[in-house]
Amino acid sequence: MIETRLSGKVALITGANQGIGAAAARALAAEGVAVFLTYKRLTPLSDPVYPAAYDQARAADASEVVARIREAGGTAEAVEADLADPAVAKALFDQAEKAFGPVEILVNNASGWLSDTFSPAERDGFGRPLRPVDAETHERLFAVDVRAPALLIAEFARRHLERGASWGRVIGLTSGGPDGFPTEVSYGAAKTTRSLVSYQHAA
């Protein structure tokens, strides 16, 4: 365990059963942070273009991530949660505080990713299946990628102020560029909006 100024802090990390979220959880835990992970198991895409390991990771819980952190001497707990539910933000902070104490680091990583497009194409340039933009795709992406981070930041800030805390960090992970995501319309729009939400908090 490395002794740093982060040692003893508590972090809430969304989408932490795989990928970047899991890596962030392991990295923070290695610095002595108690990490509270959230995840949502997703139905396998079952399309030959996706590696089997990708489907397995999406469908897995966070038990392996938690186990690896504990084996390395870290502290971790995990809970499954659907961030599309507006009531989840408060519930997650309640659970994290019950497990470890007040949350001082919030990592908004989870995404409701899916591929939707305005074009009639059935596959994108990588061969991944596409679907048309509709109310379902738009609502799902914005609920998870925009509304959930905003509600989590609001809950973080409220509790931070109520207890008179002097230190805290909010980390918002996003992606994209000036060209957007022409075959991931709702995802690209949601990611851009998430960047603005995170920036406004930092400002």
Side-chain angles (χ1 to χ4, degrees), residues 44-176:
L45 296 167
S46 301
D47 189 288
V49 74
Y50 297 105
Y54 181 67
D55 267 351
Q56 292 168 3
R58 284 166 51 90
D61 61 21
S63 58
E64 183 176 343
V65 181
V66 170
R68 287 183 60 184
I69 289 172
R70 290 175 177 172
E71 287 168 4
T75 302
E77 294 286 351
V79 64
E80 184 164 13
D82 186 354
L83 296 177
D85 180 353
V88 161
K90 180 181 183 304
L92 288 177
F93 275 87
D94 286 343
Q95 290 171 292
E97 287 187 3
K98 184 177 180 180
F100 301 131
V103 174
E104 296 147 302
I105 302 168
L106 169 63
V107 182
N108 280 317
N109 167 70
S111 174
W113 175 84
L114 51 78
S115 293
D116 62 357
T117 180
F118 293 133
S119 83
E122 294 183 357
R123 298 268 171 176
D124 67 11
F126 299 101
R128 300 176 301 181
L130 295 171
R131 58 183 291 180
V133 175
D134 58 21
E136 181 183 350
T137 62
H138 187 274
E139 289 298 324
R140 178 67 192 177
L141 263 297
F142 271 75
V144 176
D145 286 36
V146 180
R147 185 178 67 197
L151 293 177
L152 287 164
I153 290 171
E155 191 67 23
F156 178 93
R158 182 182 68 79
R159 296 178 188 231
H160 180 90
L161 293 171
E162 282 184 354
R163 68 176 185 271
S166 60
W167 191 95
R169 296 291 184 272
V170 174
I171 301 166
L173 298 175
T174 186
S175 57

